[in-house]
Amino acid sequence: QKEVEQNSGPLSVPEGAIASLNCTYSDRVSQSFFWYRQYSGKSPELIMSIYSNGDKEDGRFTAQLNKASQYVSLLIRDSQPSDSATYLCAAANAGGTSYGKLTFGQGTILTVHP
Amino acid sequence: NAGVTQTPKFRILKIGQSMTLQCTQDMNHNYMYWYRQDPGMGLKLIYYSVGAGITDKGEVPNGYNVSRSTTEDFPLRLELAAPSQTSVYFCASSPKNTGELFFGEGSRLTVL
C-alpha cells in the first residue's frame, strides 16, 4: 500500500517568516512529487512539482526532494496571510503506466498570522 | 475557457438512491480523474480515464461507476447511495500522465 504522510498541523508562522512543510512517502517506485494548495472550501491547485533530487525554486516557493530518504518538503519564504491554506503532498509513479494517478497525504494546515 | 466544470455543487441523497455527478472539461485533456475527499483527509482516487472509451478503477471504486464516451465528459454514477459515500467529490483532468492536475470546484454530497 502506497502511503504519503504529512504532519496535519496546524502549523502557525508569523507573517514574513519561512514556513516549512514536510512529507514522507513509503513507495520507492514513486518518482514524481507535487504540492497542491487548497483553500478552505475550495479545490486543490497545483503550486509545485518536482521530479529530481535537490531543490526547485519558483518565486517564494522551494520544493526539496531526497529520494534516498523518501522525503519531500516545501518551503514558503516571506509567508503572507494569503498563504494560509491546507497543503497537500502527492506522489506518482513515473512513466506511462502511472497514468498520472496520485497518492495524496492528508494535508498540512498552515496559518500565517499578521 | 471554463476549465473543469462539475455539477451539481451540492446534493442531499437518501440511502439507496442513485445519482450521477457530471464533469466536463473544455481543455481537450485526455486524462480525467475522480477523487473523493473526506473531512481532514487527503484525496482518494475513485476512477480514472486515459481517453474516450477507456476507464479503470482507482483506490476506492466500490459503489461507483464511470463512463467516458467523449473526451470532454466523465460522469460518475453512484448506485444505491450509502452514508459512507458522504464526501466532497472532485473531478480533475490533465493533458499528460504526469500528475499535474486541474481540478473542478467539487461536488458536496450528503447521504442521509
Side-chain angles (χ1 to χ4, degrees), chain B:
Chain B
N1 287 347
V4 180
T5 302
Q6 293 183 234
T7 57
K9 288 185 171 45
F10 302 94
R11 182 74 185 267
I12 298 175
L13 280 182
K14 294 182 179 179
I15 294 172
Q17 288 185 322
S18 300
M19 75 160 297
T20 299
L21 298 176
Q22 301 292 343
C23 177
T24 298
Q25 53 94 6
D26 62 358
M27 298 175 284
N28 201 34
H29 289 172
N30 283 326
Y31 297 87
M32 296 190 73
Y33 311 84
W34 275 105
Y35 285 88
R36 59 175 287 173
Q37 185 176 35
D38 298 326
M41 303 294 288
L43 286 79
K44 302 286 187 184
L45 181 64
I46 305 171
Y47 270 95
Y48 68 98
S49 170
V50 302
I54 306 170
T55 63
D56 204 351
K57 297 177 181 178
E59 186 180 356
V60 290
N62 291 346
Y64 306 94
N65 272 302
V66 293
S67 60
R68 183 98 182 268
S69 57
T70 66
T71 300
E72 294 79 19
D73 300 312
F74 191 40
L76 177 71
R77 177 84 176 162
L78 281 73
E79 305 282 1
L80 299 175
S84 61
Q85 292 178 305
T86 293
S87 191
V88 179
Y89 292 84
F90 288 102
C91 179
S93 71
S94 179
K96 302 177 289 185
N97 63 345
T98 57
E100 299 180 2
L101 306 185
F102 295 82
F103 283 87
E105 293 184 344
S107 298
R108 184 176 297 274
L109 175 66
T110 302
V111 181
L112 299 174

Side-chain angles (χ1 to χ4, degrees), chain A:
Chain A
Q1 175 110 5
K2 299 178 185 178
E3 290 188 351
V4 175
E5 298 288 339
Q6 296 180 253
N7 186 332
S8 60
L11 173 66
S12 182
V13 301
E15 185 174 358
I18 296 175
S20 178
L21 305 164
N22 304 313
C23 171
T24 60
Y25 60 96
S26 63
D27 190 352
R28 287 195 174 271
V29 181
S30 297
Q31 294 291 317
S32 307
F33 303 90
F34 307 87
W35 285 98
Y36 284 82
R37 178 177 61 199
Q38 186 176 27
Y39 292 115
S40 181
K42 302 297 185 182
S43 59
E45 172 192 18
L46 178 67
I47 55 172
M48 289 288 285
S49 58
I50 186 165
Y51 304 97
S52 304
N53 276 329
D55 295 358
K56 178 182 177 182
E57 186 175 318
D58 184 1
R60 295 186 296 113
F61 299 98
T62 299
Q64 299 174 316
L65 173 59
N66 184 326
K67 290 185 179 180
S69 301
Q70 297 180 240
Y71 178 88
V72 191
S73 66
L74 178 71
L75 301 178
I76 306 175
R77 290 181 300 281
D78 188 24
S79 296
Q80 301 297 310
S82 58
D83 294 325
S84 298
T86 298
Y87 289 80
L88 299 165
C89 175
N93 296 348
T97 58
S98 74
Y99 302 122
K101 295 179 291 182
L102 296 178
T103 299
F104 283 87
Q106 70 271 38
T108 298
I109 299 170
L110 172 66
T111 301
V112 180
H113 54 87

